[in-house]
Amino acid sequence: MTEASWTLHPQLDNDTAPLGDLALCRVLSINAADYPWLILVPRRAGVIEIVDLGGDAARLMEEIALASRVLKRVTRCDKLNIVAIGNVVPQLHVHIVARRHDNPLWPKPVWGAAPPPAGDAAAFARLLAAIRDGLGIAAVG
């Protein structure tokens, strides 16, 4: 379970935009017009479940809390949905989705619904910049 041999699952790489790195997690985002959506992926090889992180599990919880606070502040959402499902992508990753009462699927979950339509590129870039600023991270390439 080392960072040196860690790689991002191809599906996550394909579906997301990288924001930057926290101490443990790579922070990603999905360009979803209706749901500001972050994904945290611990940079540890072979990790499938939170319990696989051992002592790093507490760090993951801290980073989930930090990302959640920033996303809630930036989006002024009504509710956050936080989940680590992993049925399609086995690599441990945690979704944090900002929800508003006027979201198209409210109050249903966004998981498993049709792929979200992409939002305006400029608005998405502004959102990512605000989240990076709030997290205190630099962009990764």
Side-chain angles (χ1 to χ4, degrees):
M1 290 196 322
T2 66
E3 183 175 352
S5 59
W6 177 83
T7 58
L8 185 62
H9 188 281
Q11 186 72 46
L12 291 173
D13 191 36
N14 183 60
D15 293 348
T16 64
L19 274 85
D21 289 335
L22 296 169
L24 174 65
C25 293
R26 169 80 33 97
V27 182
L28 310 168
S29 185
I30 294 178
N31 184 1
D34 300 318
Y35 316 103
W37 194 325
L38 299 178
I39 298 176
L40 274 58
V41 186
R43 293 184 316 278
R44 298 293 183 266
V47 172
I48 296 172
E49 307 293 349
I50 292 172
V51 297
D52 298 338
L53 284 171
D56 283 333
R59 167 67 72 180
L60 174 62
M61 295 304 148
E62 291 168 7
E63 292 185 1
I64 290 169
L66 172 63
S68 296
R69 283 191 301 273
V70 169
L71 187 60
K72 188 166 180 79
R73 185 180 75 242
V74 167
T75 65
R76 297 185 182 133
C77 63
D78 299 312
K79 178 74 176 108
L80 292 171
N81 292 165
I82 303 169
V83 67
I85 302 172
N87 293 342
V88 175
V89 174
Q91 181 178 44
L92 177 60
H93 60 290
V94 178
H95 298 262
I96 306 171
V97 183
R99 300 294 306 272
R100 301 185 70 73
H101 294 292
D102 60 357
N103 287 156
L105 290 174
W106 184 269
K108 297 175 185 161
V110 298
W111 329 113
D120 173 71
F124 185 57
R126 286 190 301 274
L127 173 69
L128 298 187
I131 292 169
R132 273 191 202 100
D133 185 55
L135 293 174
I137 58 176
V140 294

